[in-house]
Amino acid sequence: MEFLITLIATFLLLLMPAITSSQYLGNNLLTNRKIFQKQETLTSYAVIFDAGSTGTRVHVYHFDQNLDLLHIGNDIEFVDKIKPGLSAYGDNPEQAAKSLIPLLEEAEDVVPEDLHPKTPLRLGATAGLRLLNGDAAEKILQATRNMFSNRSTLNVQRDAVSIIDGTQEGSYMWVTVNYVLGNLGKSFTKSVGVIDLGGGSVQMTYAVSKKTAKNAPKVADGEDPYIKKLVLKGKQYDLYVHSYLRFGKEATRAQVLNATNGSANPCILPGFNGTFTYSGVEYKAFSPSSGSNFDDCKEIILKVLKVNDPCPYPSCTFGGIWNGGGGSGQKKLFVTSAFAYLAEDVGMVEPNKPNSILHPVDFEIEAKRACALNFEDVKSTYPRLTDAKRPYVCMDLLYQHVLLVHGFGLGPRKEITVGEGIQYQNSVVEAAWPLGTAVEAISALPKFKRLMYFI
Ligand SMILES: *[C@@H]1O[C@H](CO)[C@@H](O)[C@H](O)[C@H]1NC(C)=O
Ligand SMILES: *[C@@H]1O[C@H](CO)[C@@H](O)[C@H](O)[C@H]1NC(C)=O
Ligand SMILES: *[C@@H]1O[C@H](CO)[C@@H](O)[C@H](O)[C@H]1NC(C)=O
Ligand SMILES: *[C@@H]1O[C@H](CO)[C@@H](O)[C@H](O)[C@H]1NC(C)=O
């Protein structure tokens, strides 16, 4: 009896692979479906909402099993936007949340239905919401969280909806840029640093050595540390990331105008007499009778930047802030947002090119030209510049030069890459935080073995 069972078992064992493989070969329909299903589950989607001050955008990304981006239709991502931003609904959080439903539905249509439960959804709110009074911002986020949880079939974790601050924006943007350039998983010395000039703040982010990170100065309680540690494709990176608050493009204009408080300002072009409003405060903006002046304007900007403030560390950028020590992670720099817009507006770079090589001195050369103009001549000299930007073209160009050279200490002739996007395969990927956030969000899925996470 025992022998018979063993015999049958052996026979079955011998037979089994044959049966399986003949079934496999003999049923194309089944085979195809099997392969198809397998491919489907190997790829992943992520849905990221970027809730900015003027509007909200949704990005849908599609990754393969190696964490490389796949096309969605003809494009490298699906993106759409609505206006106004969440902060416009200040006292009506439910309405704010509701305003996102059309974007949510579009994103859900892009993701195959069977993948919805495995598709992370995140919303990051930047500048606009932070300016709301009291708990208005938290109420809007809570209503948005509820709306997503109640309505969406996507994967909404408890921490999916949040305000992201400048240092988070900076680090995710660094991830985006280095992801697109194929640097992740390689030595930090191969990575590219990022300077991001926003409206309210400017962020500097670059990778530093373990030794530098270990010796980084401590910051006061409640402040963001200088170093963020994260793991990407099995490699640990130490990022110097700092958000210089009140040194964004608009915030600096306000400081420069406030420095002359109601009297003539040499950064303003002759022929303009108006006001500039920032964060609810109005500043007078008009030039001295002698016109704008490059040197006088530069002097004010240097004062506003506090380049001569005492430095309690081996080296500082400006305002007594540690500079991160420099090094290989800063050798190559991607310089973006307001730098890229202005360079394009004044024709320093070809329009519609994702990025171009420039040097800090190029901003100085252009500033000298701009600061010699009359306000009436700006339109013909810089036809791409919008009305609202015209009175400040001398100030803005000069500030960008001073920030790079005297603030961040870059050599005037250092090559920097200025742009809004980076070529990736046959597409251009926007150099912004949402893609970096998407990489982190899907890295949390079990099959990616946490390819990226912050420590
Ligand atoms: C959504 O969920 C929240 C809490 O989970 C609940 O208070 C709210 O009533 C729900 N809204 C709808 C429309 O179901
Ligand atoms: C304007 O300048 C004054 C004096 O330097 C300073 O006290 C004030 O805080 C400044 N205001 C703003 C909004 O920067
Ligand atoms: C601006 O100037 C006015 C006088 O013109 C003065 O009263 C006011 O205190 C000044 N403000 C600042 C912030 O320095
Ligand atoms: C600017 O305009 C205001 C009125 O809007 C006027 O009082 C002031 O004198 C003007 N200043 C200059 C320098 O033209």
Side-chain angles (χ1 to χ4, degrees):
M1 188 64 189
E2 228 172 81
F3 169 75
L4 198 61
I5 289 170
T6 314
L7 190 72
I8 291 168
T10 312
F11 179 72
L12 280 176
L13 273 174
L14 283 171
L15 205 60
M16 238 160 56
I19 290 170
T20 324
S21 74
S22 77
Q23 253 184 0
Y24 191 78
L25 292 168
N27 191 338
N28 263 322
L29 198 68
L30 180 69
T31 314
N32 283 345
R33 191 182 303 136
K34 255 187 176 164
I35 289 172
F36 182 65
Q37 277 173 351
K38 203 166 178 198
Q39 276 178 346
E40 280 290 287
T41 52
L42 278 174
T43 75
S44 305
Y45 288 82
V47 173
I48 312 293
F49 285 80
D50 172 358
S53 43
T54 59
T56 302
R57 296 213 274 173
V58 70
H59 301 260
V60 183
Y61 303 101
H62 187 195
F63 297 91
D64 69 11
Q65 66 272 34
N66 300 317
L67 211 67
D68 288 329
L69 276 179
L70 297 168
H71 277 75
I72 296 178
N74 291 325
D75 298 311
I76 201 74
E77 63 169 313
F78 170 85
V79 61
D80 200 11
K81 62 181 168 195
I82 51 156
K83 283 182 177 184
L86 289 179
S87 53
Y89 300 91
D91 49 6
N92 197 337
E94 261 70 43
Q95 208 55 40
K98 255 195 203 156
S99 74
L100 302 180
I101 291 174
L103 286 184
L104 175 64
E105 287 176 347
E106 276 188 280
E108 286 178 339
D109 285 345
V110 172
V111 181
E113 214 161 315
D114 56 323
L115 293 182
H116 281 202
K118 288 180 182 156
T119 299
L121 178 157
R122 296 258 191 107
L123 179 140
T126 52
L129 268 199
R130 270 179 260 155
L131 297 176
L132 291 181
N133 292 328
D135 57 357
E138 192 37 57
K139 281 189 174 147
I140 287 178
L141 294 183
Q142 193 52 49
T144 304
R145 221 170 268 135
N146 288 345
M147 184 278 286
F148 283 149
S149 316
N150 295 356
R151 287 192 69 107
S152 183
T153 44
L154 302 173
N155 185 336
V156 184
Q157 298 288 317
R158 223 173 315 137
D159 59 357
V161 174
S162 61
I163 288 185
I164 65 167
D165 63 21
T167 58
Q168 285 169 314
E169 220 175 313
S171 15
Y172 284 117
M173 193 184 272
W174 182 91
V175 172
T176 298
V177 167
N178 286 283
Y179 167 89
V180 173
L181 294 172
N183 292 336
L184 301 185
K186 298 182 186 164
S187 158
F188 87 91
T189 57
K190 301 266 185 289
S191 67
V192 170
V194 179
I195 303 178
D196 171 28
L197 181 57
S201 59
V202 56
Q203 278 76 241
M204 164 69 91
T205 313
Y206 65 98
V208 298
S209 70
K210 282 207 163 51
K211 189 165 165 241
T212 302
K214 217 175 127 207
N215 297 321
K218 301 277 172 288
V219 293
D221 278 351
E223 276 180 43
D224 276 318
Y226 280 117
I227 301 289
K228 270 189 195 278
K229 292 178 184 296
L230 70 162
V231 171
L232 286 153
K233 293 199 168 173
K235 189 133 195 100
Q236 186 187 315
Y237 294 91
D238 296 284
L239 293 189
Y240 166 84
V241 46
H242 194 82
S243 180
Y244 295 79
L245 294 175
R246 294 183 299 115
F247 292 103
K249 185 171 139 230
E250 270 78 21
T252 302
R253 276 188 202 162
Q255 291 201 69
V256 168
L257 293 172
N258 184 47
T260 50
N261 184 26
S263 56
N265 190 298
C267 300
I268 300 294
L269 298 185
F272 181 77
N273 180 8
T275 56
F276 175 71
T277 304
Y278 180 73
S279 197
V281 182
E282 209 174 70
Y283 302 88
K284 289 210 160 54
F286 61 94
S287 84
S289 47
S290 53
S292 46
N293 183 295
F294 178 93
D295 292 321
D296 295 349
C297 177
K298 185 171 177 181
E299 202 171 300
I300 294 181
I301 293 174
L302 285 169
K303 231 177 254 164
V304 162
L305 259 191
K306 302 190 204 121
V307 288
N308 293 320
D309 265 21
C311 178
Y313 314 116
S315 50
C316 285
T317 45
F318 52 91
I321 290 164
W322 183 48
N323 76 344
S328 311
Q330 215 186 17
K331 217 179 255 162
K332 292 189 194 143
L333 281 174
F334 191 83
V335 176
T336 186
S337 300
F339 285 106
Y341 312 146
L342 186 60
E344 191 168 320
D345 283 346
V346 301
M348 288 165 67
V349 297
E350 276 174 51
N352 309 320
K353 256 181 86 180
N355 58 64
S356 313
I357 300 286
L358 287 177
H359 317 82
V361 70
D362 297 330
F363 286 92
E364 184 184 37
I365 293 167
E366 200 60 49
K368 282 193 170 141
R369 184 175 316 164
C371 294
L373 292 174
N374 281 308
F375 179 57
E376 301 87 77
D377 301 332
V378 179
K379 197 168 182 172
S380 54
T381 310
Y382 301 126
R384 298 182 65 92
L385 208 59
T386 58
D387 291 355
K389 292 179 180 172
R390 265 182 225 139
Y392 309 106
V393 65
C394 158
M395 187 197 299
D396 290 350
L397 282 164
L398 193 41
Y399 174 55
Q400 297 192 2
H401 170 254
V402 170
L403 179 61
L404 293 174
V405 173
H406 302 273
F408 292 132
L410 307 184
R413 296 184 191 283
K414 180 185 173 68
E415 280 195 356
I416 53 175
T417 305
V418 178
E420 293 175 62
I422 301 172
Q423 194 79 29
Y424 181 82
Q425 296 163 8
N426 300 320
S427 307
V428 172
V429 174
E430 190 193 2
W433 61 269
L435 176 56
T437 303
V439 170
E440 186 198 39
I442 70 152
S443 291
L445 300 175
K447 68 180 170 207
F448 285 108
K449 304 192 183 76
R450 299 184 76 206
L451 280 167
M452 166 180 172
Y453 55 95
F454 286 92
I455 301 170

